[in-house]
Amino acid sequence: MGKKVEELPQLKQFREWFEKRHEYAKEWKRKNGGKVVGYYCTYCPEEILYAAGVLPVRILGSHEPESITRPYLHDMYCPFCHDTLAQGLQGRYDYLDGVTLAQSCLHMRQSYFSFVDRVPNIQWSYYMPFPHGVNNPHAAPYLRSELEKFKSAVEEWTGTTITNKELDGAIEVYNKNRQLMKEVFELRKSDNPPITGLHAMEMVVSSQIVDKKDHNEVLEALLEELKDAEVEREAGTRLILIGSEDDDRSFLELVEYGINYPATFVYEECCTGARYFWDEVRPNEDRLMALAERYVYRIPCPAKDWATGELIRRRFQHIERVIKDYNVQGAIITQMKFCDPHELDIPALRDLFDKHDVKHLTLELDITQPVGQFRTRVEAFLEALGEEDLFF
Amino acid sequence: MEVKVRPLECWNDFKKYRERYYKNYLEAKDKGGIRWAGSAWAFDAIPHGLGEDVYPLTGEPYGATCAFFHDFSRQCLETIERRGVARDLCGYMRNYWGSIAQNKYLLPDGTTVEPFPKPDFNFTIHICCTHAKWYHYAAELEGGVPTYAVDISVGPGYLLDDKRINYVVKQLNDAISWMEKITGREYDDELLIKAVYAEADSMSTWARICKLNQAKPAPLEEKSMFSLYVLNLINRSDPEVAKLYHKLYDEVESRVKRGIGALTYEQFRFLTDNPPPWAFLKVYRYLEKEYGAVSLGAIYTFGLAGGWLGMDEKGEKWIWEPAPTPEEAGVEITNREEALRWTAEYNLRYRASWQHEYSHWIRKLETYQMIKDWNADAIIMHINRGCELWNLSTLEVRDYLVKNNIPVATYEGNMADPRDFDEARTFNVIDSFMQSMGIERISEK
Amino acid sequence: MIVAGIDVGSKYTKVVLLNENKEIIGTSNVRTGIDHQKTVEEALDEALKAAGISRDDINKFVATGFGKISVPFADSELTQVVAAGKGAYFVWPKVKTVIEVGAEESRAVKVDENGNIKDFALADKCAAGTGSFVDAMVRYLEVPLEEFGRMSLDAKGEVPMNAQCVIFAESEVVSLLHDNVPKPEISRAIHDAIADRVASIARRVGIEDDVVVIGGLANDVGFVDSLKRELGTEVYVPDKIAPELIPALGAALSGL
């Protein structure tokens, strides 16, 4: 019998990176002497930055109440965009040399603009008009032309030349990271998934904020350990988490560790989950085209998933596959307060879950979570699901 | 002293056009015509190529009309919210969906008919987070309507290049093939060319009309402008719309030459910001009557329906001058490719309200320049909870203006959800603002 | 000459009587009843009694507050924003940022060195930054209002309140009580939450020293302490006159 899952040093490493993200980045800078660029939104073609020797780190919030953003960003915008801007204004990202956004939702865009304007240490910024219409055939060729410009801008700023060699090096590291995390997710298909949603979140988010070479090493070791690790907890109800930036530990801890009815997230369809890494870059003579196709055709964010001729949502097609493959019993839809793209999908998403006989619960997230209220709702949800099993 | 608003002679022409428009959409199928629905910003010249009997219904003006009729709006909102639609989503969209869900079609006079006329196809664009998805969900509510949305978010107009323009042109080309397939009609490039010329004419002429409001006294006040600009939001590529704007231009220019203002007494000039709270346009009349304050316009009123030169090449200055028509630009449009390229570039480059979503800086410049060019004393900004695109950058702009010694007031509301507006608070803001600047009430004079 | 400044608030109606030397000769603070006009008369009578004068001695009436329409005999009206600015500047000439927290609304007013209003911000739909929030919380904690503020200063640690909305906050307080979190810590958490909301409004006009707090909640030492920490700057509560009377004072000053 191997080690207990909760004691695996690799999971502890992910947690440490998650909690001490700024210390990691500062240490990386000190050791490598390279530049660190913050990115908003996972549509950012990180490989191009990485190929130039830059460490891309995702800008995320800290889940603490704040008032510092309110003169610049109205209350009607989502908690995430306030939280991220607050980190910048409070000086927590004082080590960033640059910041970039691959165009996505309006809320993030607004936060990014204020971040660029008001965080004093930002020397370089780049706004990429990434296509929103990811379901139309011209999006990838268009993106390719934008990636060309982005690459030139990065080269000019860093004083480097990014050839196919550098791109291949970056793509290899990134693809490996994706493959390894997919392998970890594969293990969660089992009746007794070895890791929880909380572990998965810390694994994925730490990938977004550290050098993926370091992350890959830990992933490989983790996969080795998981082969015979001891799973102490009862899996209980198998849940899928649907959402966006679901990196608030208090919520995941509540659902998986804080309620009398056992439950485990077996899959996270969100950008601190599978949407970040699920799709790899496929080989192509034209490396920029390869990247363009990967980023356009990855599981779409709801902000970009809409009809161009056909009434399909690619994201829903993926969710349907996951329901089957991961034997999902229940869904918790976490909706970031005021997030329009998600809100727009939710009625149709609920219909989809009903169609597949998957019970669902929708919760609204804020910068911090009303744990008391959530406990009541989640308990009732899990209890109801459990009762159905009892009488089936 | 009583401040009155002077009526315009061509007011009724505009009113009649709008009434006919909504009736035409309703009755389109009676004579075998085509009905299509989409955003007011959709490339409406494109469907014109399908024939002379093609009738659009644009969503935002329809949503605004719903909001104007409070009770109907409430019914729409409550109906659609019962289906799980969130309350903070775009108010226009929720009114539109609610209308479909109730199967009721609202006419401009407030009467409703059943059923809601189902479009043959939806043709729209995507600029805000909900835009294309609006029609995707609407199509599903209607049991499946073919839907095509064009992605236009290629960056600000002054940074356009061939690749960015071509991305949009390719989609428009695809859309034409798709429309032919859906409707079974053969596309007529001549009709497209005619529509594209009319579109530029309508939008550039509206811009010229807006520019006339720089005069003192202002010949137009914003509440009336809302009823005038709307034709460019329902069918700008119709040559008849362009003609009406020329007629309006002549009348407004005549007012300027004769020194006639929209208000019988003007003591204060201000701009606004954002779509107004459609259910509470009384705010404008209050300012006129109580303070002799004329609302000159806004980026919204000018930029939504007008074509403007916009940012200079270096991105340092905003230029509020009307955009050129093809004739003025020395461009001759002779075939489909040229027509698509012209309409794509004209909209991407010259639509003022598409520029400011790419940086705070652009919106700051747009607003500041407008205040200067239109000789405004202040700006009263509507913090519009109903539209996340329009409210983008609002507080940063406010901060910028205050730092540049421009008096600014803000009030919170919702363009299309009448429940989200606090009348007492809003009037308190207005009174506080005016009093803080020492502007006396007309009744106290 | 004597001017009466009457501030008809949603919860309390305040009167300040001022003579031509700008001396305060009488004040009152009365609970606003259903009949606002009756309350106004009561408040006026009380202030007159305190000043030892009669109604006929008053040369001018200036009304302010949400219910100013209930003063039909007012010679002029002043908006709350201007009243707050004027009143605060009078008692604290070095003020640049005035923060007023009343029962139903908070506001921030920026004044220049001459006491002119440069900018203002009003709270948008939210009770979590007002006196009403405090009333609700005090009910749950079952402590007298006067003790509630002082209790907050005794807190040994911080317990962040997660809910950003007063409705959620009420049930969160219940949860905290059930978890046996000590009342001082809960009181501090509540005050921090209110200060957070109020600071959001204040930041919109920009925080510039001196920052002065007026209105009923300025009497709450716990709130003032939380606000200081949130803004990261000293916050002054004028003591020349009770802070909740300052807008009425501003109204009276405008009548001179």
Side-chain angles (χ1 to χ4, degrees), chain B residues 13 20 32 41 84 92 124 142 168 180 189 223 248 267 277 298 310 394 424:
Chain B
D13 295 329
R20 246 188 1 257
W41 285 347
Y92 290 151
T124 189
E142 286 167 317
V168 175
E180 283 185 308
D189 288 342
K223 187 173 181 286
L248 177 62
Q267 75 165 345
T394 305

Side-chain angles (χ1 to χ4, degrees), chain A residues 63-90:
Chain A
H63 299 286
E64 295 162 73
E66 58 81 31
S67 66
I68 199 170
T69 64
R70 308 291 152 159
Y72 317 119
L73 194 52
H74 193 259
D75 290 340
M76 66 187 258
Y77 292 96
C78 76
F80 180 71
C81 71
H82 280 109
D83 204 354
T84 45
L85 180 59
Q87 306 311 305
L89 296 177
Q90 287 164 356

Side-chain angles (χ1 to χ4, degrees), chain C residues 1-3 18-21 25 57-60 255-256:
Chain C
M1 185 187 183
I2 296 176
V3 180
L18 215 59
N19 66 19
E20 67 271 16
N21 299 322
I25 59 171
D57 295 323
I58 310 237
N59 303 94
K60 212 169 178 192
L256 281 177

Side-chain angles (χ1 to χ4, degrees), chain A residues 70-77 103-107 109-110 113-114 117-118 127 129-133 136-139 142 145-146 149 302-303 305-313 338-341 343-348 350, chain B residues 83-86 88-89 93 97 126 128-130 132-133 136-137 139-140 144-145 147-151 153-155 161 163-164 167 170-171 174 178 357-360 364 383-385 387-389 391-396 399 412:
Chain A
R70 308 291 152 159
Y72 317 119
L73 194 52
H74 193 259
D75 290 340
M76 66 187 258
Y77 292 96
Q103 174 178 267
S104 55
C105 68
L106 292 169
H107 297 216
R109 212 181 297 187
Q110 196 174 204
F113 295 152
S114 293
D117 289 347
R118 294 181 181 279
Y127 180 93
F130 192 107
H132 285 321
N136 96 62
H138 307 293
Y142 165 65
S145 67
E146 292 297 329
K149 290 183 196 144
D305 201 9
W306 39 265
T308 315
E310 303 283 335
L311 281 179
I312 47 161
R313 291 183 187 80
F338 303 139
C339 173
D340 278 11
E343 281 168 343
L344 259 154
D345 271 1
I346 283 172
R350 287 196 192 125
Chain B
R83 292 193 186 209
V85 165
D88 59 278
L89 284 171
M93 183 171 72
W97 288 342
H126 186 83
C128 67
C129 299
T130 53
K133 294 173 84 77
H136 188 143
Y137 188 59
E140 286 171 344
V145 171
T147 300
Y148 193 102
V150 178
D151 181 11
S153 310
V154 294
D161 59 29
K163 294 222 160 69
R164 289 179 176 182
Y167 173 53
K170 283 189 184 135
Q171 292 175 74
D174 283 0
W178 175 81
E357 64 162 70
Y358 293 108
S359 79
H360 289 322
K364 287 175 187 174
I383 305 248
N384 176 14
R385 292 193 92 108
C387 182
E388 295 173 3
L389 175 66
N391 222 32
L392 202 68
S393 306
T394 305
L395 291 186
E396 288 278 11
D399 184 66
E412 223 184 59

Side-chain angles (χ1 to χ4, degrees), chain B residues 394-438:
Chain B
T394 305
L395 291 186
E396 288 278 11
V397 168
R398 182 197 179 281
D399 184 66
Y400 177 78
L401 295 175
V402 166
K403 290 197 164 79
N404 281 280
N405 299 314
I406 308 283
V408 184
T410 59
Y411 67 93
E412 223 184 59
N414 193 308
M415 65 194 182
D417 187 337
R419 303 165 302 180
D420 242 0
F421 186 80
D422 190 326
E423 220 176 290
R425 267 200 183 154
T426 303
F427 286 125
N428 188 24
V429 166
I430 290 170
D431 289 337
S432 300
F433 185 53
M434 292 308 215
Q435 204 169 68
S436 72
M437 288 185 293

